[in-house]
Amino acid sequence: MSHSIHIPARKRIWTTTAAALAAVAVALGGCTVGPDYKRPEVQAPAAWRIDYPTAADVANTKWWEQFGDPVLNDLVETALQGNLDVRVAAARIDQFIGTLGTVRSQFYPQLAYSGAASRSRASRVGQPPVPEPADPYFTLYQAALGASWQIDLFGRVRRLSEAAQSQVYASEQAQRGVVLTLVSGVATSYITLRGLDRQREIAVATAGNFGETARIFDLRFKSGIVSKTEVTQVRSQWQQALASIPAIEQQIAAVEGRISILLGRDPGPIPRGKTIDQLVAPLIPADLPSSLLERRPDILQAEQNLVAANASIGAARALYYPSISLTGLYGSASTAAGSFLTGPATAWQAAASLTGPIFTFGAIEGQVRSAEAQKAQAELVYQSTILNAFRDTNDALIGTQKTIEGVALQRERVIALREFARLSRLKFESGLIGYLEVLVADTELFAAELAQVALTTDRYTQVVNVYQAMGGGWVDVADAMTPRPIGSIK
C-alpha cells in the first residue's frame, strides 16, 4: 500500500518559487561586487642612515628592564594595568566587535515571535455594521513565529562584514599603539625625572658651596681683606645658584604629575630607584626598514582602515543590484481562548520579494563616489604613515649616536672646567688674580654640569625613541599585561 501527501496548489507554487530563489542564491552566492583588497606597493629604503649591528631579538623583549631599575619596571607594569587610555582602547575594541556581530547576523535568517490579546467592541452602525442580536464585543488572541532572510546575492553583507572585521583589527592596532606610547612615555618621563633630580642635587650642592664662599667673603670684607665689589660678586653668584633650584623643582613636580596620570592616579610623588648615572642604556635594536611594515601599530592600523575603506566600495556598488528577501509566518488567531491553539485557528504566510533600483537620481552613485574617495584618502594616509615611520626611526637612530658623542664631549668639557675652576681658585688665594676669574670659572662649571646631565637624559631618551619608532614584538609582550577586551572574535 502506498500513501501520497497532498500539497495545496498555493503552497506548491510558493514552495517551487522559494526553491528556485534558493537555487539562484546558491548559484550567485560567490558573486561579490567591488574590488578585492591588494596592498599598495611601498618603496622602503634598503637600510637606515645609521647602521647598527642587527639585534632584532632585543626589540622583542621588555627593553625597559635593561635600564636595570626595578622601580621603573614597577611603574611600567602599574601603568599598563591602570592607564585610562589603555582601558578606553580596550573598550573601543569591544565596540567594534559588537558592530561586527551585528553585521554578521545579516548572513542568517532572522527569527522572531509575537503574541497579543485584545478586547474590542464593533460598531452597530459602522461599515460593516454589527446586526442585532449579534454580540458586538469580542476578544482576539494571536500568537505567531516569524522568519525573514535577505539573501546576500551580490556580497553587500560580505563587504560590510569585511569592513567591520578590518575595523576590529584596526582598533586592536590602535590599542597596541596606545601601549607603545604609554611604555615609552613612562620610561622617558622617569628618565627625565631622574635627570632633574640630579640637576637639583648639583644646584643644591653648588649653592651650598657658593653660600660658604659668600660667608667667608663677608668675614674678609669686615677684616678689610676684600672689597665690597668682590663680596657683591660672590653673593650674586650664590643667588644665581639658589634661583635655579625652584625652577628645577617646578619641573620635577610637573614630571611627577605626568607620570601619575600615565599610571592612572591623581598627581603625587613618584618613587625613585637608581640615579641617572646608575642607569644602563639598553642595546639598540636594528632591522631592515621593511620590517616596520609588519610590526608598527600605526602602520598596521592605517592598513586595516584601508582594507575597510576598500570593502565599503563593494558594499556601495551592491546597491545597484536587486535584493531578494524571504519571509514567513506561522501562528494562531482566535476569538475564543478554548480554540486558540486548535487546527482551525492556524494561520501562516510565506512570501518572497525582489526589489531593485531603477532611477535614484545619483543617490547610489554618490555613495560609490564617496566610498572611493574615502579609500583614496585611506591609501594616502597609509603611505604617509609609512614615510613618517621611516623618518621617526632614522631620527631616533641618528639621535642616539649623536647624543652618545655629545655626552662624551660634554664629559671632557666638565673635567676641563673643574680643573680650570681649581686652578683659578688657587691663583686667587695666592693673590695672582681677582675673584672675577674664579666667578667665571665656577659659573661655567655649574652650567656645564647641568648640561651634562641634560645630555645624559637625552641620550637615554633617544634609546627609548628607537624602541618606540621601530615597534617590535615587545609591544605584544606589554599588551599582554594590559586589561583585555570583554568580547572576542573568531
Side-chain angles (χ1 to χ4, degrees), residues 181-264:
T181 302
L182 175 62
V183 174
S184 302
V186 171
T188 299
S189 299
Y190 183 77
I191 292 168
T192 301
L193 180 63
R194 298 309 281 138
L196 290 171
D197 289 338
R198 179 59 184 146
Q199 287 185 331
R200 184 183 181 280
E201 291 174 1
I202 293 173
V204 170
T206 302
N209 292 334
F210 289 169
E212 178 63 18
T213 302
R215 186 186 68 81
I216 295 174
F217 267 64
D218 283 337
L219 295 176
R220 290 182 176 183
F221 172 70
K222 291 177 182 179
S223 301
I225 300 175
V226 298
S227 66
K228 183 68 173 178
T229 301
E230 290 175 312
V231 172
T232 305
Q233 289 175 337
V234 172
R235 294 188 67 84
S236 173
Q237 185 184 45
W238 179 34
Q239 294 299 328
Q240 181 183 15
L242 288 174
S244 68
I245 297 175
I248 296 175
E249 290 176 339
Q250 179 185 4
Q251 296 179 61
I252 289 174
V255 175
E256 286 184 319
R258 182 163 66 246
I259 295 176
S260 297
I261 297 302
L262 293 176
L263 299 179

Side-chain angles (χ1 to χ4, degrees), residues 269-487:
I270 298 298
R272 266 72 159 178
K274 294 187 175 181
T275 66
I276 188 71
D277 298 324
Q278 293 173 332
L279 296 178
V280 179
L283 298 175
I284 299 298
D287 209 341
L288 293 177
S290 58
S291 63
L292 261 68
L293 305 180
E294 305 297 337
R295 67 190 188 190
R296 278 259 308 207
D298 55 345
I299 294 178
L300 298 176
Q301 180 185 4
E303 183 176 16
Q304 290 302 322
N305 288 334
L306 175 57
V307 174
N310 183 79
S312 296
I313 296 176
R317 288 181 181 175
L319 297 175
Y320 282 119
Y321 300 91
S323 62
I324 296 178
S325 299
L326 303 179
T327 59
L329 181 144
Y330 182 85
S332 181
S334 175
T335 58
S339 60
F340 176 44
L341 298 177
T342 61
T346 299
W348 62 267
Q349 181 185 23
S353 64
L354 183 147
T355 59
I358 298 178
F359 296 112
T360 62
F361 300 97
I364 298 176
E365 180 184 1
Q367 294 185 55
V368 173
R369 291 185 61 182
S370 177
E372 291 174 342
Q374 289 177 358
K375 181 201 172 182
Q377 296 174 47
E379 185 170 349
L380 292 172
V381 169
Y382 174 63
Q383 294 174 346
S384 175
T385 303
I386 292 174
L387 291 177
N388 284 321
F390 291 152
R391 183 206 65 189
D392 290 344
T393 306
N394 270 309
D395 289 350
L397 290 172
I398 293 174
T400 300
Q401 186 182 66
K402 297 307 177 183
T403 52
I404 291 175
E405 297 174 3
V407 168
L409 293 173
Q410 187 66 21
R411 185 183 298 113
E412 294 299 322
R413 182 169 185 266
V414 168
I415 293 174
L417 285 173
R418 282 176 182 162
E419 183 65 11
F420 174 42
R422 186 185 70 83
L423 295 176
S424 297
R425 191 169 293 275
L426 288 176
K427 289 182 178 181
F428 171 73
E429 296 294 341
S430 301
L432 299 177
I433 59 174
Y435 189 74
L436 179 60
E437 186 173 335
V438 178
L439 177 65
V440 170
D442 286 343
T443 302
E444 287 192 13
L445 175 60
F446 178 42
E449 289 178 330
L450 294 179
Q452 181 181 4
V453 175
L455 279 172
T456 302
T457 301
D458 190 34
R459 181 255 190 281
Y460 290 137
T461 300
Q462 290 297 332
V463 176
V464 175
N465 291 342
V466 172
Y467 278 93
Q468 182 176 9
M470 299 190 74
W474 73 265
V475 183
D476 296 322
V477 174
D479 185 49
M481 301 167 63
T482 65
R484 309 314 303 157
I486 297 175

Side-chain angles (χ1 to χ4, degrees), residues 17-38:
T17 303
L21 291 174
V24 173
V26 172
L28 297 179
C31 179
T32 304
V33 299
D36 292 328
Y37 174 73
K38 182 179 179 182

Side-chain angles (χ1 to χ4, degrees), residues 50-67:
I50 296 295
D51 186 25
Y52 283 90
T54 300
D57 291 340
V58 176
N60 298 327
T61 61
K62 298 178 181 179
W63 54 264
W64 55 91
E65 294 182 349
Q66 297 182 44
F67 280 106

